[in-house]
Amino acid sequence: MPLSLDNRLADRTRWKAERCSITLVLEVLSTKASFMVLRESFYGTSKFDDFVMRTGASAPTVSRSLRHLESAGVLARTPYRDEGSRPRDEYRLTAAGEDLLPVVFSLVQWGDAHLQGGAPPLAFVHRDSGEPVRVGVSAGEVFNLTSRDIEVRWSGPRLP
Amino acid sequence: MPLSLDNRLADRTRWKAERCSITLVLEVLSTKASFMVLRESFYGTSKFDDFVMRTGASAPTVSRSLRHLESAGVLARTPYRDEGSRPRDEYRLTAAGEDLLPVVFSLVQWGDAHLQGGAPPLAFVHRDSGEPVRVGVSAGEVFNLTSRDIEVRWSGPRLP
DNA sequence: CCGTATCCTGATAGATACTG
DNA sequence: CAGTATCTATCAGGATACGG
């Protein structure tokens, strides 16, 4: 069932190609690698090699994605230093990046529902109540959870 | 702020590359054209040439995307016939496709908030109450809307 | 270990031309 | 008008090699 869209809009050809937010967002996020890196950022990954290992992408691809997301203001690169090691960079979500949680979560949710055979490997629950957490559409002020309120649990049969 | 992820998971390298839903979903949706076509489906577009005009993509690209989304179970192709014309095909969201509303909407919402200069061109409101509609994350049984409950309004200064 | 430059291959989009 | 096949250009991704 489609959204109820003003007929005048539907008739105006190509307006969306230039103005629609999706077009703009896809300039930032359309590559698979960028989505993977973003997903890992939400899972807490912040170091270069961890991104490489956990996304399964090559190092150059990760490097490009990190720079691209950084220049888009989704990730921020900050120097850090472990005891006794030389300084490194770490990559953390910015506030704007945090706001992408519904995007990542809704992708996961849809895949869990329609692509995974059987139980999804990860479960997202509210940290305080333990209730399952969902992403969805609603009117009014009902959405107050951020990624820090959410805990991810392994719900599969075993770790691979 | 990252999600709270079980350490055992974070240590298991590459498990997500094969199992994570995002990887699977991106096989279906990762191309820009697929996102565009999907977006138009939610806006009510169902005819081939309308997809071409409104996405701004070329006909072969639209053709490929339609077939790809169809084979993924997101769109269904059904024959129809206008009065006095030969039969055609139309492309409609399946139930699984409908479930992608949070994905599309959250992308639009993020772009509106972070990429559009000033007011976003489209406003999504609850059809009954007129309240603005948002996509977000919450726990428990929150009132969830489907695309048929939502009305899209042009809120820009003028139609292009 | 951290990260990038280079080069090469494969995926993706557009132009063109064609069929019903 | 409603699509699709073919061909080509472009872009994302991996292999390799290299510097910090």
Side-chain angles (χ1 to χ4, degrees), chain A residues 48-108:
Chain A
F48 186 88
D49 269 20
D50 288 338
F51 280 110
V52 172
M53 285 189 298
R54 295 175 193 163
T55 61
S58 68
T61 298
V62 168
S63 178
R64 279 190 295 261
S65 293
L66 287 172
R67 268 182 298 177
H68 187 227
L69 291 171
E70 186 190 1
S71 72
V74 172
L75 294 181
R77 181 191 309 236
T78 58
Y80 76 101
R81 163 187 293 271
D82 281 336
E83 310 299 318
S85 329
R86 64 176 179 77
R88 307 279 159 70
D89 288 340
E90 65 176 3
Y91 309 86
R92 299 277 184 192
L93 290 166
T94 63
E98 288 283 324
D99 287 347
L100 283 166
L101 176 62
V103 173
V104 174
F105 194 1
S106 60
L107 285 168
V108 172

Side-chain angles (χ1 to χ4, degrees), chain B:
Chain B
M1 198 67 54
L3 301 174
S4 171
L5 183 67
D6 190 320
N7 282 337
R8 296 173 302 157
L9 294 180
D11 288 342
R12 298 296 168 144
T13 60
R14 302 187 64 93
W15 73 270
K16 293 165 197 119
E18 298 106 38
R19 310 212 40 171
C20 177
S21 283
I22 290 212
T23 309
L24 302 175
V25 174
L26 293 182
E27 296 296 313
V28 176
L29 278 187
S30 74
T31 71
K32 285 183 176 67
S34 292
F35 271 104
M36 300 293 196
V37 166
L38 180 65
R39 178 199 66 192
E40 286 306 317
S41 294
F42 276 106
Y43 287 166
T45 301
S46 66
K47 298 175 183 174
F48 186 89
D49 269 20
D50 288 338
F51 280 109
V52 172
M53 286 189 298
R54 294 175 193 163
T55 60
S58 67
T61 298
V62 168
S63 178
R64 279 189 295 260
S65 292
L66 287 172
R67 268 182 297 177
H68 187 226
L69 291 171
E70 186 191 1
S71 73
V74 172
L75 295 181
R77 181 191 307 237
T78 58
Y80 77 102
R81 164 187 291 273
D82 280 338
E83 310 299 318
S85 328
R86 65 176 180 76
R88 306 277 161 71
D89 288 338
E90 65 176 4
Y91 309 87
R92 298 277 184 193
L93 290 165
T94 63
E98 288 283 324
D99 287 347
L100 284 166
L101 176 62
V103 173
V104 174
F105 194 0
S106 60
L107 285 167
V108 173
Q109 185 170 281
W110 192 85
D112 286 348
H114 296 284
L115 297 177
Q116 295 278 359
L122 293 183
F124 299 79
V125 300
H126 189 208
R127 182 194 302 284
D128 298 334
S129 68
E131 270 190 303
V133 167
R134 307 268 305 161
V135 57
V137 177
S138 63
E141 289 304 314
V142 174
F143 182 52
N144 265 333
L145 300 177
T146 69
S147 54
R148 90 200 60 204
D149 305 310
I150 301 172
E151 192 176 321
V152 185
R153 291 187 186 153
W154 176 257
S155 62
R158 55 170 177 74
L159 284 174

